[in-house]
Amino acid sequence: MSQSPLNLPRRPRRLRLREPLRRMLQGVKLRRSDFIVPVFVVEGENVQREVASMPGVHQMSVDVAVPWLAGRAGEGFGAYLVFGVVDRAKKDPEGSPALDENNVVCRLLRAVNEREIPMAGITDLCFCEYTSHGHCGPLTADRSTVDNDRTVDLLVKQAINHARAGAAVVAPSGMMDGAVGALRGGLDAAGFADVSILSYSVKYASAFYGPFRDAADSAPEFGDRQSYQMDPSRGVDEAIEEARLDIEQGADMVMVKPAGAYLDVIRAVRQSIRVPLVAYQVSGEYAMIEAAAAKGWIDRDRAILESLTAIKRAGADLIISYSAHALARLLPA
Ligand code: PBG
């Protein structure tokens, strides 16, 4: 302290000087149970293939994914989000492998439940991993966009398959209008009133999905997703409206995606809804941290924790993150 201290009644630094006080004053605390871990399941046996643009993340066959998930459950993670990756030769314009009740997603759900692994299975409902053109559903006759209402019919079938295989939650991610209401009706009629819906309500057409499209082999063959995903420059009212529509139709939880560049959207949606909000720290957000850390340009662990803390501070109740391997080390259960 200098000889003649400034006459300051408020000195915010006082509370930063002692570690125990700093720790006690943390308002936002991350725990492993805040996180949902994504899994990419592929055909075959004994397959564990690292995704080039997502170091530390692997495509796994069912026999490898099951023990991997058992490990995550043991660490205190409570839910996984499964994406199916199918051989290109099986894909067609309708995305029919999505409706096969023996596809990798259904087989994984059954195996996890048979092994009684204490994790809730959440399935991504979408057709981009299954269509030959890589769009999120069958196209309109002029092939200019995805046919909304036909896709919704198919999503209901996909959801019932997943529910039958043991999904606890289905997560429509294709941004089709009316999907949530149709899913709620379809699941209830098929006897699955207990299966929840987590809607990807607020999903932007984002450059940050790049690495995922490698991981899931789901890049659109032509065009982009701007005729169904949201425009980042539209403003938050559209986000609030999307969330409201889905909740009205029966969504149990809503999602904002991506997360890091959309903290304002997370906050605005959080303030306008009364159901849990899930934020998705997407593949590109993960890849940027990993790439910079690999170059020694940022501290990996600190960057992971800081980015995820910001997402929770903005208002996310749960977070989907690819960093489970680091979080198991860094966070309490
Ligand atoms: C669609 C889907 C996508 C992601 C999750 N579900 C890709 C897309 O919309 O192109 C992206 C997730 C990520 O980037 O981590 N099935």
Side-chain angles (χ1 to χ4, degrees):
M1 203 51 76
S2 63
Q3 286 302 79
S4 52
L6 298 171
N7 186 18
L8 294 179
R10 310 283 307 154
R11 284 182 182 269
R13 288 189 55 201
R14 276 196 285 264
L15 293 181
R16 297 180 198 138
L17 293 173
R18 293 166 184 86
E19 194 281 330
L21 272 181
R22 284 200 299 270
R23 184 159 28 91
M24 291 168 74
L25 288 169
Q26 284 173 351
V28 178
K29 292 184 181 164
L30 298 171
R31 303 179 47 176
R32 290 179 210 158
S33 56
D34 295 330
F35 291 93
I36 297 169
V37 296
V39 204
F40 298 102
V41 235
V42 293
E43 318 258 7
E45 257 177 66
N46 206 15
V47 181
Q48 181 164 11
R49 208 180 298 128
E50 191 167 54
V51 180
S53 50
M54 301 176 75
V57 174
H58 298 83
Q59 294 179 331
M60 291 176 267
S61 50
V62 173
D63 58 314
V64 175
V66 170
W68 185 83
L69 282 172
R72 303 294 77 75
E75 291 162 353
F77 293 99
Y80 63 97
L81 173 61
V82 54
F83 298 98
V85 188
V86 302
D87 294 338
R88 281 228 179 145
K90 288 194 183 168
K91 300 187 185 187
D92 60 30
E94 302 292 300
S96 9
L99 303 182
D100 171 4
E101 55 190 37
N102 277 317
N103 66 20
V104 284
V105 172
C106 295
R107 294 208 318 266
L108 180 74
L109 290 164
R110 284 196 291 267
V112 169
N113 289 336
E114 267 159 33
R115 283 271 305 269
E116 297 185 13
I117 295 171
M119 277 184 120
I122 308 176
T123 61
D124 187 76
L125 293 186
C126 195
F127 285 81
C128 63
E129 297 108 297
Y130 306 97
T131 52
S132 42
H133 44 72
H135 280 285
C136 296
L139 302 173
T140 51
D142 65 2
R143 289 173 55 89
S144 65
T145 189
V146 172
D147 183 331
N148 191 91
D149 297 14
R150 263 181 72 220
T151 302
V152 169
D153 282 346
L154 295 173
L155 287 169
V156 173
K157 296 196 172 107
Q158 187 183 28
I160 291 170
N161 266 351
H162 292 172
R164 238 180 235 134
V169 182
V170 292
S173 70
M175 291 300 284
M176 294 299 127
D177 294 334
V180 173
L183 286 165
R184 189 68 276 158
L187 285 166
D188 288 0
F192 296 109
D194 293 342
V195 170
S196 309
I197 299 174
L198 160 59
S199 180
Y200 285 67
S201 305
V202 181
K203 178 175 178 180
Y204 288 91
S206 173
F208 294 107
Y209 306 151
F212 173 93
R213 292 175 188 174
D214 289 344
D217 190 24
S218 63
E221 186 186 67
F222 60 89
D224 54 38
R225 305 211 200 285
Q226 289 188 79
S227 69
Y228 38 105
Q229 298 179 351
M230 294 161 63
D231 179 340
S233 62
R234 249 307 272 283
V236 296
D237 286 352
E238 186 193 24
I240 293 170
E241 177 64 359
E242 283 279 7
R244 189 188 66 77
L245 281 171
D246 283 353
I247 293 167
E248 214 170 73
Q249 291 171 45
D252 300 288
M253 300 185 272
V254 298
M255 193 192 299
V256 173
K257 173 185 171 203
Y262 296 86
L263 298 178
D264 57 329
V265 176
I266 293 175
R267 169 51 56 97
V269 171
R270 171 70 281 158
Q271 287 173 337
S272 74
I273 63 172
R274 298 288 174 274
V275 301
L277 189 155
V278 179
Y280 198 148
Q281 184 178 53
V282 300
S283 57
E285 299 177 72
Y286 173 84
M288 287 195 300
I289 293 175
E290 290 298 318
K295 290 215 173 235
W297 291 347
I298 57 172
D299 179 316
R300 174 186 282 107
D301 289 354
R302 289 184 53 212
I304 290 172
L305 290 179
E306 186 175 331
S307 61
L308 295 169
T309 298
I311 294 166
K312 189 165 177 184
R313 190 181 62 226
D317 298 290
L318 298 176
I319 305 173
I320 302 169
S321 162
Y322 296 102
S323 297
H325 43 290
L327 298 176
R329 197 163 36 76
L330 300 169
L331 299 180

